[in-house]
Structures are given as C-alpha cells and as structure tokens.
Amino acid sequence: MTDQPTVGRFDGRAHLLPVRVYYEDTDFTGVVYHANYVRYFERGRSDFLRAIGIGHAQLLEGEAPMAFVIAEMKLHFVRPARIDDALTVRTTYDAVKGPRLMISQVIERDGDTLCRAEVTAVCIHLDGRPRRPTKALVEAVAPWLANTGDAG
C-alpha cells in the first residue's frame, strides 16, 4: 500500500480540503503570505474535480483536450493564517455558464473564515480560445451545482 495525499471530502455541496501552513508559506512574521491563499484555493478547486473523477491530466489527454484559465478572482482577506495552522479550503462549484465555471471558496481555521474567494474559471482549447466544457465534465459537476438548471 502506498500513502496517497488526501483529495479531501464532501459535506453537502462543499468540498473540504485540509491544508497545513508550512514555514515556506509564511512571511518573516510567521503569517501566511497573501499570494499563498491563491495556491490553497487552486488546490481546493483541483481536488474537488479529482474527487468527482475529473483529473487535469485526463482533460489534457482527452479526445477534445482542454484546460482552465482564471478569468476573475475576487479575494477578501478577513484574518491571517499563521505557521502550523490547520486550515480547511471549502469549495463549491456554483454554476456552469457557457465556457465559464463559477466557484465560491473559503479558507477556514476552526470554523472561522480567514479568506473568501469568488472565482470565474474559463474552459479553453489548448491554443487559448474559450470553449464549452466537455460533456463528461458538465455531467460530473452538475450534481454539485447550486442550481442544476445552470449546467450546460
């Protein structure tokens, strides 16, 4: 048996990913450097998809290869995370509209919100042009959306 990193778990529509703050994540005061929240959010979005059976490698190697770019990300910093904190990245995929996926995320420590993000990811062809997500992606994410009527 090989140890594998966790992909987190689901709580209702929300995917929960545990993240530990390491020394490398912090500035000289032991507080998480602001850009690292973006990295934690990326892990949450990626592991959400991995947990529902959609891996990035699979999307790149499929019959109609695709990837994601972030078109918009609004961050609201509430409280600082610090070295050695055990955090949870809470991710919900809210809607699929054309090539866009609307995603809400929160980083928490012991149930307290530290940072919130509203994210718009866009599906693209490998040459960078926007495209609709694959049918497999839409079908996999549809049960998790705020309003399943938004899929497609």
Side-chain angles (χ1 to χ4, degrees):
M1 184 170 133
T2 306
D3 289 335
Q4 293 291 314
T6 180
V7 296
R9 65 181 178 81
F10 284 93
D11 179 15
R13 287 185 47 244
H15 176 262
L16 307 178
L17 180 68
V19 174
R20 174 74 63 189
V21 176
Y22 294 104
Y23 181 78
E24 68 185 17
D25 298 323
T26 63
D27 62 17
F28 68 95
T29 68
V31 170
V32 171
Y33 181 67
H34 69 279
N36 286 322
Y37 290 91
V38 175
R39 296 171 68 142
Y40 300 154
F41 285 134
E42 170 61 32
R43 293 175 198 171
R45 292 189 305 276
S46 292
D47 280 336
F48 181 111
L49 292 176
R50 187 174 287 111
I52 64 170
I54 304 289
H56 286 289
Q58 172 189 353
L59 294 172
L60 287 170
E61 298 166 358
E63 187 176 308
M66 63 166 282
F68 298 103
V69 294
I70 300 303
E72 183 176 17
M73 179 179 281
K74 295 179 185 176
L75 298 175
H76 180 75
F77 297 95
V78 180
R79 293 182 177 89
R82 300 182 186 283
I83 193 165
D84 291 331
D85 280 353
L87 307 177
T88 302
V89 181
R90 178 180 295 272
T91 303
T92 56
Y93 276 68
D94 299 322
V96 177
K97 296 180 181 180
R100 297 169 305 185
L101 288 83
M102 294 10 191
I103 307 155
S104 300
Q105 296 186 276
V106 177
I107 294 175
E108 303 171 334
R109 179 185 54 228
D110 298 326
D112 292 329
T113 296
L114 305 183
C115 187
R116 289 190 303 272
E118 296 299 323
V119 181
T120 301
V122 176
C123 298
I124 61 168
H125 293 278
L126 297 186
D127 66 3
R129 291 178 297 122
R131 59 157 295 171
R132 289 190 176 273
T134 63
K135 181 178 178 183
L137 175 60
V138 171
E139 288 174 353
V141 79
W144 306 101
L145 300 176
N147 177 353
T148 57
D150 288 343

